[in-house]
Amino acid sequence: MDQAQIKAWIDALGIPALFVADDTRIIAANDLAISVYNLNVAGLIYSAALRQPAAIEAIHACLEYHKIQTARIHHTENCTDTVFDLRCAYIDKGLRGVLITLKDLTDEGKNTQLHRDFVANVSHELRTPLTAISGFIETLQGSAKKDEEALDRFLGMMARQSARMDRLVSDLLSLSRIEAQERQRPSDTVYLHDLLATVIESYKAQDVEIISQLNAHDHAVQADADQLHQVFSNLIENAVKYGQAGAPITVTTKNVACDARLRVPAIRMSVCDTGAGIDPIHLPRLTERFYRIDGHRSREKGGTGLGLAIAKHIISRHRGRLEIKSKISQGSEFTAIIPKR
């Protein structure tokens, strides 16, 4: 196998790859490897081109002993740190040398950290009400055993903490189901105007003032009606909880001939409040699980920290997007953009 053939083979690989000949020169590197090092390393001595001691040691051992070598390396380029699993295998058919492949572990590391954070957050969210309930039970079994006033007060507190855990578990189960279905696009036809009008009426029945500006010329969307109902309910519920007390909430729909990012005709459903607004620093993280701007206030109002995460996943399943705008002291606008059928 000559140099051109080696280049053709490693170009076909889906990961960064290089070939080092017995004379220690890199004789071929695919485009992915060139992008990693931001340099066409072909023709260079491997020790001068790669620079990581662990990589150099693994390649040297492979060249000397003709056995597979592995190493974990960290590569920094443009202030971005990337972790790779480096694997070296000696080839002695035709052109002799070491085939080096790099497997990017950065996303795996991020996913592992996200999993750890998720478990830690769930544990914390459950431990807090459980600790409170345990404390109330201990008090009722002891000093307040025959105190009827204390009994009523503590039972009320225990009921609220129990309801909080129930909401959390329900949201976790809902999020799990949505994630499992995220790659399966809904196939039902749903008329957004009718669905949204039903949600609005349910909140008006709870004495919530909502100004509805729904486009009368309704269009069908390919959707799961129950899930979209959950999205709209979550967005309106957030506006009720965190908007200005007693101020009306505005709900609007608008037809878009071609959404700039989705590149298809779409319907925009917006929920606007006139609350305190959100600092721009928080906006990119609002849809993260358990992310709260004011954790104490959110828990007091019965929030689980999962509502916007659930909404985002549902909208993603519908091939749409969630847009968030806010100005301090002027309020916030949450917009679900759903492609038309």
Side-chain angles (χ1 to χ4, degrees):
M1 186 180 291
D2 60 22
Q3 183 174 342
Q5 288 174 309
I6 286 282
K7 179 69 166 64
W9 275 105
I10 65 173
D11 276 342
L13 296 176
I15 57 176
L18 311 96
F19 190 85
V20 176
D22 276 344
D23 64 1
T24 72
R25 287 183 305 108
I26 300 172
I27 63 171
N30 65 9
D31 291 339
L32 291 172
I34 291 171
S35 68
V36 168
Y37 291 98
N38 200 24
L39 172 71
N40 189 351
V41 294
L44 302 178
I45 303 298
Y46 74 84
S47 57
L50 304 187
R51 298 188 299 276
Q52 296 97 339
I56 293 170
E57 184 178 340
I59 298 168
H60 175 77
C62 192
L63 282 169
E64 185 172 353
Y65 303 113
H66 296 184
K67 292 184 178 180
I68 290 175
Q69 304 290 327
T70 60
R72 179 70 54 84
I73 63 172
H74 293 259
H75 178 73
T76 302
E77 190 73 38
N78 297 327
C79 299
T80 301
D81 188 46
T82 310
V83 182
F84 290 103
D85 254 352
L86 178 141
R87 185 179 186 273
C88 305
Y90 192 80
I91 296 174
D92 60 2
K93 304 295 183 182
L95 195 63
R96 298 164 63 89
V98 176
L99 176 64
I100 304 159
T101 56
L102 300 170
K103 181 182 179 183
D104 190 343
L105 300 178
T106 307
D107 287 341
E108 290 182 17
K110 288 179 180 177
N111 289 336
T112 300
Q113 187 59 47
L114 285 172
H115 177 72
R116 288 174 184 161
D117 291 344
F118 179 70
V119 171
N121 281 323
V122 171
S123 300
H124 173 73
E125 293 293 334
L126 288 174
R127 188 182 295 115
T128 303
L130 279 172
T131 301
I133 291 172
S134 297
F136 296 145
I137 292 173
E138 185 178 338
T139 303
L140 292 174
Q141 288 175 332
S143 59
K145 191 172 185 178
K146 297 181 180 181
D147 188 338
E148 291 189 7
E149 185 179 341
L151 177 65
D152 289 340
R153 187 171 71 254
F154 285 145
L155 285 176
M157 293 177 180
M158 290 167 68
R160 287 193 292 274
Q161 295 297 338
S162 176
R164 175 181 165 187
M165 284 194 294
D166 183 62
R167 288 192 300 270
L168 177 61
V169 171
S170 295
D171 279 355
L172 286 170
L173 290 173
S174 179
L175 185 58
S176 178
R177 285 193 297 269
I178 292 161
E179 287 182 328
Q181 299 172 337
E182 195 161 359
R183 296 185 182 276
Q184 304 168 10
R185 190 171 186 181
S187 56
D188 294 340
T189 298
V190 176
Y191 290 93
L192 205 56
H193 178 281
D194 296 341
L195 179 64
L196 194 51
T198 302
V199 178
I200 291 172
E201 283 304 315
S202 69
Y203 277 93
K204 285 183 176 179
Q206 302 171 37
D207 293 328
V208 176
E209 186 179 356
I210 297 179
I211 300 172
S212 57
Q213 299 173 349
L214 306 186
N215 193 320
H217 184 56
D218 196 12
H219 287 275
V221 294
Q222 189 173 324
D224 181 313
D226 290 338
Q227 288 191 348
L228 284 189
H229 190 288
Q230 188 174 6
V231 169
F232 302 151
S233 296
N234 282 354
L235 296 183
I236 294 174
E237 187 75 25
N238 276 356
V240 172
K241 287 178 180 176
Y242 306 113
Q244 184 179 345
I249 296 162
T250 305
V251 179
T252 62
T253 58
K254 180 182 178 182
N255 292 312
V256 181
C258 183
D259 181 75
R261 288 175 58 184
L262 299 179
R263 298 181 180 178
V264 293
I267 300 177
R268 296 173 61 93
M269 193 288 293
S270 300
V271 177
C272 304
D273 64 61
T274 54
I278 303 167
D279 192 310
I281 196 172
H282 297 294
L283 295 183
R285 300 191 61 190
L286 283 181
T287 55
E288 291 180 15
R289 300 168 185 175
F290 299 112
Y291 186 80
R292 293 182 173 98
I293 299 170
D294 184 343
H296 180 69
R297 183 186 177 203
S298 174
R299 292 185 184 94
E300 276 189 344
K301 291 181 175 291
T304 62
L306 294 171
L308 287 177
I310 289 171
K312 179 184 176 182
H313 281 286
I314 291 175
I315 293 169
S316 294
R317 186 192 174 205
H318 288 74
R319 306 299 189 266
R321 63 188 183 92
L322 178 64
E323 186 177 273
I324 304 173
K325 296 179 181 178
S326 186
K327 291 184 178 180
I328 299 295
S329 302
Q330 294 183 35
S332 305
E333 179 182 17
F334 291 79
T335 304
I337 304 163
I338 309 295
K340 295 179 186 175
R341 187 172 179 86

